[in-house]
Amino acid sequence: MQRRNFLRLGLGAVVLGLAPLSVMAKNYREELPEVWKIKNKSDKPDDLSGINEAIKAIFGTDKVEEGKIELYKTPDIAENGAVVPVNFKTEKASRIALLQNANPEALVAIWDIPELGIPDYGVRIKMAKTGTVVVVAEIDGKLYKASKLVKVTAGGCGG
Amino acid sequence: MKKLIITATALSFAFVSANALQEVAKIDVKDVCKVEKVGAPKALEVAKKYNPEAIKLGVEFKRLGIKNREYIKALEEAIKAKKKETVVKYKSKGKEKTKKFDTNFLAERACKFAVRALQQVNEAEKTWRLAVPGDGFKY
Amino acid sequence: MKKKIIASMIIGSFALLSAGSFNAEAEKDRKALTEYFVKKFADRKNASQYFPYTPKEELDKNFKWGLKPEEFRLGSYAFNKGGRAQYEEIIEMPPYEDAIDEGKELYEKTKFKNGKSFKDCFPKPEIAGDYPKYVKGKGVETLTTAINSCLKENGEKPWKMTKGKMAKLEAYFAAASREAGKKVNIVIDSKEAADAYARGKKEYYSQRGYLKLSCASCHVQGAGQRVRNEYMSPLLGQTTHFPVYRLKWEGLGTLERRLKGCNKDQGENPHKPGSKWMNELAYFMAYMSNGLPVDGPDVRK
Amino acid sequence: MRIKAKSKGDITEVKAVLKHPMLSYDQAKAKGKEPNFIVYINAKVDDKIVYEASTSQFLSKNPFIKFKFKGNHKGKEIVISWIDLKGNKKEGKAKIK
């Protein structure tokens, strides 16, 4: 059903398998349906076990080095957990995944970086509580990450 | 000039019996609302007497999403039925909700809320200008 | 004490009579309030006098000092750097833009059953800075109650005063006012209007609710202090940017919606939107921002 | 859908807001509704993909995306499309300034 809709968009054929750099459209909801279900394991903001499990499921390894990718304009204290701005950039990457341990499941999004893509992206995410945001980039077949603790409190007075 | 003073005074008393405000000025909530001493029914009587005046003045208290009139209504039933627990029914964002309280505790709260609401009106008469930059508030 | 109050009222009314202008007290209040806030946020050096409970590190790192009066339209984002950065991120693509378009539709396309339209009540949309207004025989009208008066006078049902269509139409009025460079322009030109202002002022500074807080406790003396994770915004500039898209609401709301929330937080059964109490409170509040640019709609926590 | 796209020098920058309630499983349960959220987004210029994301329930309501890609594409059209969990799809277009 989803696939049919997807084709109707006229995006061309879906590439099966895990080609590292996709020239054609790739929907990870279909490619890797199980990774979206990986749970965070505890309430602790520094427990990254669920995140690491998801990283392994997406990239095939959880060997990740710090660096080469940067999280920026991502708050220390969120104005509101429903709208947390997250920005990240790296010089080049084939794939990037954004994860956190502030919600029941760990994975937020996966980007395939197209040929013309410049991996300097921003999104706004939901965080149900204080937690760590992790961004992982696949660069020349290796994984690099950046992480940041974002504090979330019940936001806003009155009404 | 006189008229101005009269209007100012009349405003705050217009819709409420000045008596209630004068009465509460002499009341010590720790006496009249102390359930240990006066018992829950007496405390409720005090709440029932003054809360309607607070409503008229637009100063009724509300806590945990529950208006004092809702505390009082639930207390009336609980005290009549001699129940140790009072179940308060109230509305929050259009939804019917309930919350349980110890009856004695709640009677004291409802009483204090009713009296304090009116006492604060009296106090504000004397204090409000002290908070106004340029009037009584030095900065 | 009482003597002092009476004395100051007498002085106040003398000034009123001799100047022949009914806004003398309001003007004096506005100037003092502005001066107070400018002083309070002037620099780090005097900060501990105004913010005795705020950790030093926070004053060093998270506060912007040297604020000009116009900057207070940003509320707590005027001084709170961390919040300001997120605010700026969000208004890169503000979540209220659709509401402005929908509000414009409501203004231009709504036809009343009697054939008239909003344009008959409000010939121009750039009117957000002119409200609340004292209307002879009616009392204070906020933009919200004025819109409902328009509906009722034309045989239509009034709208909900806190959100939805009301907030959208106001978003359009505010955006049009901002685009036209309009400023807050609250008029007090009669004895009745001055009395309404005085009542609003008194309510603003009166402690109420089980928490015994006045509006001023948080938004004059308390402005800039933090309660849990909430920086309290200054009264100056507070009404300039409504309606507001609040992250907490995930939607747009009117000034009335916000005031109701504030009143509830004081521990009081909140006064109703459209009530005389709320209209007069808003009249006082808006006067304090007289001369500041209209800056709605905007985004807040 | 609101799209702002701008080419400056050799880089094109895009900001977009997609209209969607983004009801997560938890939110849906609390509201007694069915969960639904955008699961896939892409952007194309000249029929070529310039941005591609697979997304989850944890993007905020009315998701905001910001991205960059190579080349000056002034005057061309950018097309952003999305699909949600239930298979609904939407497309938005804007001229690159």
Side-chain angles (χ1 to χ4, degrees):
Chain A
M1 180 59 195
Q2 263 182 43
R3 168 127 334 161
R4 218 176 301 133
N5 275 316
F6 187 49
L7 288 172
R8 244 187 271 141
L9 273 178
L11 298 175
V14 177
V15 182
L16 291 169
L18 285 175
L21 189 102
S22 65
V23 194
M24 277 171 267
K26 192 187 279 180
N27 179 342
Y28 285 97
R29 182 71 50 177
E30 296 171 352
E31 298 289 333
L32 301 169
E34 296 306 314
V35 298
W36 305 94
K37 296 175 189 162
I38 295 171
K39 298 264 181 203
N40 284 307
K41 309 299 176 218
S42 74
D43 275 344
K44 294 189 189 107
D46 58 352
D47 177 3
L48 304 185
S49 54
I51 292 177
N52 291 335
E53 188 186 326
I55 291 172
K56 189 160 187 187
I58 298 163
F59 297 100
T61 173
D62 55 5
K63 248 187 86 184
V64 190
E65 281 177 44
E66 296 282 336
K68 288 207 178 177
I69 183 158
E70 180 198 343
L71 269 169
Y72 70 103
K73 285 192 183 170
T74 303
D76 299 324
I77 304 170
E79 280 288 277
N80 188 296
V83 195
V84 183
V86 174
N87 292 274
F88 51 84
K89 60 181 169 194
T90 173
E91 266 178 38
K92 59 165 188 176
S94 49
R95 277 193 293 174
I96 294 176
L98 180 66
L99 312 101
Q100 42 60 47
N101 58 8
N103 295 311
E105 290 86 19
L107 183 56
V108 177
I110 306 174
W111 288 266
D112 260 15
I113 314 301
E115 208 185 315
L116 290 180
I118 300 173
D120 180 351
Y121 293 166
V123 281
R124 294 173 195 158
I125 70 169
K126 294 176 210 166
M127 292 178 74
K129 55 178 183 276
T130 294
T132 304
V133 172
V134 177
V135 62
V136 180
E138 187 179 56
I139 303 169
D140 298 329
K142 278 188 179 168
L143 299 186
Y144 298 89
K145 73 165 181 179
S147 47
K148 179 164 186 172
L149 179 75
V150 178
K151 283 186 195 152
V152 175
T153 54
C157 296
Chain B
M1 214 67 52
K2 239 181 196 168
K3 204 176 155 197
L4 216 116
I5 297 161
I6 291 162
T7 357
T9 324
L11 280 170
S12 41
F13 293 90
F15 303 105
V16 74
S17 67
N19 284 345
L21 284 175
Q22 275 169 10
E23 267 175 48
V24 294
K26 295 168 206 148
I27 287 179
D28 184 352
V29 282
K30 284 178 198 143
D31 278 336
V32 297
C33 299
K34 189 90 185 158
V35 169
E36 248 177 57
K37 237 162 73 183
V38 301
K42 271 265 166 61
L44 177 63
E45 282 312 307
V46 177
K48 276 168 71 179
K49 180 174 180 193
Y50 293 114
N51 202 58
E53 305 294 336
I55 293 172
K56 279 189 224 159
L57 269 181
V59 295
E60 186 193 21
F61 284 13
K62 182 174 186 175
R63 188 171 184 181
L64 301 168
I66 307 168
K67 295 169 199 161
N68 204 29
R69 69 186 84 168
E70 291 163 330
Y71 288 133
I72 291 170
K73 194 170 171 234
L75 276 167
E76 278 189 290
E77 289 169 25
I79 287 173
K80 206 186 269 173
K82 298 206 158 92
K83 285 192 177 142
K84 283 199 163 167
E85 247 182 11
T86 302
V87 181
V88 183
K89 283 183 205 147
Y90 65 106
K91 264 191 177 176
S92 171
K93 290 185 178 168
K95 281 183 189 163
E96 303 274 350
K97 291 194 169 175
T98 56
K99 204 169 191 103
K100 274 185 198 166
F101 294 87
D102 175 83
T103 298
N104 286 343
F105 166 82
L106 198 64
E108 193 160 325
R109 170 178 285 178
C111 174
K112 279 182 179 166
F113 275 15
V115 177
R116 287 296 299 143
L118 294 183
Q119 286 180 335
Q120 277 178 194
V121 172
N122 285 335
E123 288 160 21
E125 287 290 333
K126 295 175 201 146
T127 58
W128 75 272
R129 270 196 192 273
L130 300 174
V132 183
D135 277 356
F137 181 63
K138 299 283 170 276
Y139 51 92
Chain C
M1 192 64 236
K2 216 171 193 176
K3 256 184 196 164
K4 200 174 161 192
I5 294 167
I6 293 167
S8 63
M9 285 179 92
I10 291 169
I11 293 165
S13 48
F14 262 132
L16 214 134
L17 291 174
S18 59
S21 60
F22 295 100
N23 69 343
E25 184 189 347
E27 207 40 28
K28 182 188 83 117
D29 292 342
R30 187 186 65 78
K31 283 181 182 148
L33 187 84
T34 307
E35 199 180 280
Y36 165 64
F37 280 127
V38 167
K39 232 171 154 177
K40 186 169 186 173
F41 291 95
D43 61 61
R44 172 71 183 84
K45 271 184 276 170
N46 304 327
S48 50
Q49 172 194 339
Y50 292 107
F51 306 100
Y53 310 111
T54 311
K56 285 192 168 62
E57 199 194 330
E58 198 174 314
L59 293 172
D60 287 338
K61 284 189 183 158
N62 201 41
F63 273 67
K64 184 174 181 263
W65 303 101
L67 303 181
K68 295 183 188 76
E70 308 84 73
E71 288 180 82
F72 286 95
R73 70 190 166 77
L74 286 165
S76 61
Y77 297 139
F79 55 84
N80 161 19
K81 285 194 215 162
R84 173 78 164 264
Q86 288 173 72
Y87 163 76
E88 278 170 1
E89 273 283 288
I90 289 167
I91 56 164
E92 273 186 22
M93 203 78 176
Y96 52 71
E97 285 182 325
D98 285 343
I100 297 175
D101 293 348
E102 288 168 51
K104 190 173 185 215
E105 287 258 329
L106 285 169
Y107 177 67
E108 286 171 354
K109 306 238 167 95
T110 306
K111 273 268 171 294
F112 302 147
K113 275 171 255 142
N114 63 6
K116 291 193 174 178
S117 77
F118 280 119
K119 285 187 183 170
D120 293 296
C121 303
F122 311 107
K124 283 181 179 170
E126 57 262 31
I127 52 168
D130 303 335
Y131 286 89
K133 219 180 230 182
Y134 189 88
V135 182
K136 281 232 159 88
K138 275 188 187 171
V140 173
E141 280 208 313
T142 64
L143 186 54
T144 304
T145 62
I147 289 168
N148 269 349
S149 292
C150 174
L151 286 164
K152 280 185 269 184
E153 279 156 22
N154 286 292
E156 300 288 319
K157 266 194 193 155
W159 289 348
K160 192 178 164 73
M161 283 187 265
T162 47
K163 53 186 173 183
K165 280 192 277 191
M166 181 64 80
K168 284 171 185 172
L169 181 56
E170 289 183 11
Y172 173 59
F173 284 161
S177 309
R178 173 160 59 190
E179 209 162 286
K182 293 285 179 187
K183 293 186 168 159
V184 178
N185 179 32
I186 306 302
V187 177
I188 299 175
D189 60 356
S190 67
K191 164 103 176 36
E192 292 76 22
D195 288 347
Y197 167 89
R199 287 191 293 270
K201 174 182 166 186
K202 184 180 171 189
E203 290 304 307
Y204 195 88
Y205 286 99
S206 293
Q207 292 172 315
R208 54 201 324 119
Y210 81 89
L211 290 170
K212 206 184 176 190
L213 292 169
S214 70
C215 307
S217 311
C218 291
H219 300 291
V220 178
Q221 281 78 13
Q225 315 263 17
R226 190 161 49 76
V227 175
R228 290 178 301 148
N229 192 30
E230 321 298 332
Y231 281 109
M232 292 175 291
S233 60
L235 165 59
L236 181 61
Q238 219 161 29
T239 58
T240 58
H241 48 266
F242 278 83
V244 147
Y245 184 99
R246 282 191 81 200
L247 304 180
K248 179 181 177 136
W249 295 335
E250 291 194 312
L252 206 62
T254 61
L255 179 62
E256 279 83 355
R257 184 176 181 189
R258 189 68 194 86
L259 289 178
K260 196 178 150 200
C262 257
N263 195 191
K264 192 189 83 187
D265 277 0
Q266 292 171 309
E268 184 168 278
N269 182 19
H271 291 77
K272 293 211 159 47
S275 64
K276 184 172 175 239
W277 184 90
M278 196 177 277
N279 295 347
E280 293 182 346
L281 189 76
Y283 191 44
F284 159 73
M285 290 175 70
Y287 195 94
M288 291 299 100
S289 295
N290 243 2
L292 294 183
V294 175
D295 196 29
D298 207 354
V299 178
R300 288 294 181 270
K301 192 175 187 174
Chain D
M1 200 181 299
R2 282 187 180 266
I3 306 171
K4 288 178 189 168
K6 213 174 172 181
S7 279
K8 208 175 167 188
D10 215 20
I11 292 174
T12 301
E13 193 176 333
V14 182
K15 293 168 195 168
V17 173
L18 321 176
K19 228 180 172 175
H20 200 286
M22 298 300 282
L23 272 191
S24 72
Y25 288 93
D26 281 0
Q27 287 169 319
K29 207 174 159 190
K31 289 187 179 175
K33 290 182 180 171
E34 279 191 54
N36 194 20
F37 45 87
I38 293 173
V39 296
Y40 177 82
I41 307 164
N42 79 20
K44 290 199 227 174
V45 175
D46 292 336
D47 226 24
K48 200 169 180 181
I49 291 181
V50 292
Y51 177 82
E52 186 176 31
S54 298
T55 56
S56 75
Q57 50 179 330
F58 303 127
L59 289 193
S60 303
K61 176 186 168 185
N62 298 331
F64 168 80
I65 54 171
K66 185 161 75 168
F67 58 91
K68 290 179 184 172
F69 56 94
K70 289 171 199 156
N72 191 313
H73 304 274
K74 197 170 273 185
K76 287 182 193 167
E77 193 176 61
I78 183 161
V79 183
I80 298 180
S81 337
W82 58 254
I83 312 171
D84 69 16
L85 194 65
K86 291 193 168 173
N88 304 307
K89 57 192 165 76
K90 202 138 222 172
E91 199 177 87
K93 292 173 183 173
K95 204 166 213 179
I96 298 170
K97 283 182 182 165

